[in-house]
Amino acid sequence: MRKGKLAVIGAGKWGQALHFALSQKEECYITSRSKRDIKNFVDLEFALSCEYLVIAIPAQEIRNWLEKNFVYSNQKILVASKGIEASTGAFLNEIYSNFIPNNSIGFISGPSFAAEVIQGLPCALVINSKSKKIYEEFSKFFPNFIKTYYSSDVVGAEIAGAYKNVLAIASGICEGLNLGNNAKASLISRGLVEMQRFGKYFGAKKMTFLGLSGAGDLFLTANSTMSRNYRVGLGLATNRSLEEILKELGEVAEGVQTANAIDKLSKMYKIYTPIAKEVKLILDGKSPKDSLNDLIKN
Ligand SMILES: NC(=O)C1=CN([C@@H]2O[C@H](COP(=O)(O)OP(=O)(O)OC[C@H]3O[C@@H](n4cnc5c(N)ncnc54)[C@H](O)[C@@H]3O)[C@@H](O)[C@H]2O)C=CC1
Ligand SMILES: O=C(CO)COP(=O)(O)O
């Protein structure tokens, strides 16, 4: 029996911001692994009984979470995570497809720092789904300060949202090394070309990379210390260990594991991804200055 209509699963930064936004028009519930002092906090059983679910847990945890917790009872799902599974190279839509039919799931993408959404500041986002009905149903829940667009290019939006996190790490490194504005603009624009090339291999549409899900989110994340991934890059540039940087961050930086996933997929399918490759090598201990030299030379 349904106990409510709409719930967010995951009460991290993004889950809480989406809960705030979706509560403007509709009674919206929220759940998490541990109890939180948030209005309309419910247990997982209550949340799973809702007809509409927004899932905002880190990409690397999704498969395990679905296997252990998820019971499909015709819910409609909106996935809010941005990443690629590092252990397998699987895209999130592939993981979810083992549990939820294609026409019942959508993926939200676009430039959206949780810290701004939770203040009610305006932005434009994309709901990507094979089913336009999913877009129509979820978009009704979004508040007036968020404009939503529809796209059927699920794989394109997913790759753009995940890849930009790796490029944000690269951009943070560029800033931390004081390489200047020209270098950063070069890196971001070549990064955009690189993620589009990677996406094309998997059937993504070029336009997705030029819109909100690609350029929009890349320009946001690769230019601001509000981005966790960018801050990881800043730390790496000053030769701090990844372990120390992540400990201090205390939140997820999806680009770290997504760099491993892209490396795996690029090698497997022979896709040219020079920036993501250097980010992966730096995360594994290569000197950022050596990476810069190699990027310029090759
Ligand atoms: N923070 C932001 O501005 C945005 C984040 N995202 C994406 O949303 C996803 C979540 O990010 P944040 O909420 O910001 O991260 P966060 O680090 O603030 O919170 C992650 C949440 O996931 C929960 N979690 C972790 N492992 C879990 C598991 N095994 N089972 C159940 N829950 C688990 C944690 O308890 C925590 O509440 C990421 O994929 C991120 O890239 C997307 C757009 C904006
Ligand atoms: O995806 C985001 C904004 O759209 C958040 O980026 P970070 O995870 O790097 O903070």
Side-chain angles (χ1 to χ4, degrees):
M1 198 193 71
R2 305 246 183 245
K3 294 179 178 170
K5 190 168 181 185
L6 173 64
V8 174
I9 296 178
K13 283 277 152 54
W14 192 215
Q16 290 197 47
L18 283 168
H19 175 247
F20 166 80
L22 299 171
S23 295
Q24 305 302 310
K25 285 193 182 164
E26 185 71 49
E27 191 81 339
C28 181
Y29 299 93
I30 184 163
T31 192
S32 179
R33 281 183 301 184
S34 47
K35 189 153 175 22
R36 304 283 180 93
D37 186 19
I38 309 171
K39 187 175 173 248
N40 279 339
F41 190 93
V42 291
D43 61 22
L44 182 62
E45 191 197 339
F46 184 118
L48 285 177
S49 81
C50 292
E51 186 179 358
Y52 295 91
L53 302 178
V54 179
I55 306 185
I57 61 176
Q60 309 307 321
E61 310 292 337
I62 284 171
R63 189 188 296 275
N64 194 23
W65 184 85
L66 286 167
E67 280 167 0
K68 286 210 173 113
N69 301 288
F70 190 69
V71 187
Y72 181 62
S73 54
N74 293 316
Q75 302 100 322
K76 286 141 197 167
I77 312 285
L78 188 60
V79 178
S81 322
K82 291 176 181 168
I84 306 173
E85 191 177 60
S87 57
T88 60
F91 298 132
L92 302 187
N93 76 80
E94 295 171 331
I95 300 175
Y96 275 101
S97 70
N98 298 313
F99 300 85
I100 296 144
N102 252 348
N103 59 0
S104 295
I105 191 164
F107 296 79
I108 185 126
S109 62
S112 49
F113 281 139
E116 293 188 359
V117 171
I118 208 159
Q119 292 177 62
L121 294 171
C123 66
L125 300 176
V126 189
I127 294 174
N128 308 273
S129 175
K130 292 296 167 203
S131 157
K132 190 153 190 205
K133 201 157 169 276
I134 284 291
Y135 159 74
E136 285 161 357
E137 292 181 23
F138 272 104
S139 66
K140 284 195 200 114
F141 298 135
F142 277 80
N144 296 337
F145 64 87
I146 299 183
K147 184 172 174 71
T148 56
Y149 290 84
Y150 171 66
S151 167
S152 61
D153 187 13
V154 171
V155 75
E158 256 206 70
I159 288 174
Y163 216 115
K164 67 87 192 170
N165 285 331
V166 179
L167 298 172
I169 295 178
S171 188
I173 295 171
C174 190
E175 177 72 24
L177 292 176
N178 293 313
L179 301 180
N181 294 312
N182 297 339
K184 202 196 260 183
S186 305
L187 179 81
I188 293 173
S189 51
R190 288 309 301 170
L192 186 57
V193 172
E194 180 175 314
M195 69 173 175
Q196 190 208 308
R197 180 169 52 235
F198 183 87
K200 191 176 168 200
Y201 183 89
F202 295 99
K205 290 185 189 146
K206 186 175 182 178
M207 280 312 288
T208 302
F209 294 89
L210 299 181
L212 292 165
S213 311
D217 209 1
L218 174 64
F219 295 167
L220 177 84
T221 322
N223 272 310
S224 170
T225 52
M226 283 178 75
S227 157
R228 285 99 39 115
N229 289 289
Y230 186 86
R231 295 207 298 276
V232 167
L234 281 175
L236 291 167
T238 49
N239 292 321
R240 293 176 62 206
S241 77
L242 181 61
E243 197 187 350
E244 187 192 332
I245 296 166
L246 294 180
K247 196 168 164 212
E248 187 184 293
L249 194 66
E251 292 172 26
V252 68
E254 294 277 22
V256 173
Q257 289 303 328
T258 296
N260 290 320
I262 292 173
D263 185 63
K264 190 185 282 272
L265 292 168
S266 302
K267 283 179 180 149
M268 202 183 291
Y269 300 113
K270 300 191 171 39
I271 312 168
Y272 182 54
T273 55
I275 300 172
K277 178 182 161 197
E278 291 304 329
V279 171
K280 148 89 178 143
L281 291 171
I282 293 170
L283 289 166
D284 289 349
K286 182 172 176 179
S287 137
K289 286 195 179 132
D290 289 346
S291 271
L292 170 67
N293 288 336
D294 289 342
L295 265 180
I296 289 180
K297 260 194 332 223
N298 300 319

